[in-house]
Amino acid sequence: MSQQSTMPLQSTKPDAIPARVGVGLKPEHYDAILTERPDVGWFEVHAENYMGAGGPPHRYLTAIREQYPLSLHGVGLSIGAARPLDRDHLKRLKALNERYQPGLFSEHLAWSTHDSVFFSDLLPLPYDEESVRRVADHVDEVQDTVGRRMLLENPSTYVAFAESTIGEIEFLTEVATRTGCGLLLDVNNVHVSCTNQRWNAIDYLDRFPMQHVGEIHMAGYAPSKDDHGDPLLIDAHDRPADPVVVELYDHALSRCGPIPTLVEWDNDVPDWPTLFAEARRVESVLTRARRDEDAELAVAV
């Protein structure tokens, strides 16, 4: 690896994320990616994995960033927590955005901290006016600090809060309207939440504010059962996307058109050929949506 490839990318301009399929970047795949230069649209990394000052993670990420557009996805900001945002964490996010100039930057609608305790899960929050104000204030603070637009991801949920007075879609729409942030539509989360909460997934997608969506996530879930023997889905990220999730993805694309789409596989990470094959499978759906859109435009002309 050249000396140049280990330097920070302070002068690099953001590369727009193409409307193609990207892959979550894992250390297990660094060498294969740099050696093979696979035909992948872009890569996404979890911000918290690169908040150190240097070392091998940054050397590899810098080399890959020189060849591919990059998206930055945060999982530890705890944007829904009933406490102020961690200013040191925000500073690290800002520095990471400045260093790698990602084309997209996103976070979860969730909380993972309480007082000085940090939880390993992304926990849901009640959907009410107080939460809307708190999340909107936090999104404004993040965007002002980082100096760029953020996408907010719909969560995977397992139970509903009795205190909720607003639907999830209405909540996300209101936050996006108040702050100007975008939305990250996780289709696997849609299927997981709709199954667990007994919602209709097609209706959910038909009501989702696609005008705010800047990125889509695809992943696999683990099937289970609750205490009553009813289906319970876990957002596991440990396998390919289920066919029903692919069908929902196809339906989402019919509403929003081709949008940058990430294949997430964070647990039981497979070898690179297996992950690349999953990316190609999802890419085929995106390519078909692009052809359909082109055909519709041609007919309109």
Side-chain angles (χ1 to χ4, degrees), residues 46-100:
H46 288 171
E48 287 73 17
N49 291 335
Y50 295 90
M51 286 185 169
H58 280 293
R59 290 199 298 272
Y60 280 107
L61 183 57
T62 299
I64 290 169
R65 173 64 181 89
E66 288 175 347
Q67 307 299 330
Y68 294 93
L70 185 71
S71 175
L72 196 62
H73 186 55
V75 296
L77 193 53
S78 197
I79 205 162
R83 53 170 281 178
L85 296 178
D86 185 323
R87 295 300 302 173
D88 289 336
H89 191 93
L90 269 179
K91 289 177 182 178
R92 290 190 290 268
L93 271 179
K94 176 180 174 63
L96 204 56
N97 271 277
E98 291 175 347
R99 181 171 187 172
Y100 289 105

Side-chain angles (χ1 to χ4, degrees), residues 177-253:
T177 300
R178 293 189 188 189
T179 65
C181 77
L183 298 177
L184 192 165
L185 174 60
D186 190 311
V187 179
N188 187 61
N189 286 357
V190 170
H191 180 59
V192 167
S193 296
C194 287
T195 299
N196 295 340
Q197 305 276 9
R198 310 299 188 264
W199 302 335
N200 183 287
I202 294 295
D203 176 66
Y204 185 103
L205 290 173
D206 285 344
R207 293 187 298 111
F208 203 85
M210 295 295 181
Q211 71 274 18
H212 296 300
V213 176
E215 182 181 340
I216 292 176
H217 275 188
M218 292 285 284
Y221 64 84
S224 185
K225 292 184 181 297
D226 64 18
D227 292 340
H228 302 287
D230 294 323
L232 178 69
L233 304 186
I234 309 298
D235 185 28
H237 294 193
D238 63 352
R239 65 196 71 194
D242 189 89
V244 69
V245 176
V246 176
E247 291 178 6
L248 290 174
Y249 173 56
D250 193 27
H251 184 77
L253 292 177

Side-chain angles (χ1 to χ4, degrees), residues 21-30 32-33 38-40 42-44 218-219 237-241 262-283:
V21 170
V23 174
L25 181 62
K26 302 301 178 189
E28 297 93 323
H29 304 145
Y30 287 155
I33 292 165
D39 183 20
V40 173
W42 49 286
F43 287 97
E44 183 162 282
M218 292 285 284
H237 294 193
D238 63 352
R239 65 196 71 194
L262 180 79
V263 168
E264 290 187 291
W265 199 323
D266 300 318
N267 299 305
D268 296 336
V269 176
D271 60 17
W272 173 251
T274 301
L275 183 58
F276 184 58
E278 173 69 356
R280 301 302 295 171
R281 181 173 74 108
V282 176
E283 182 99 51

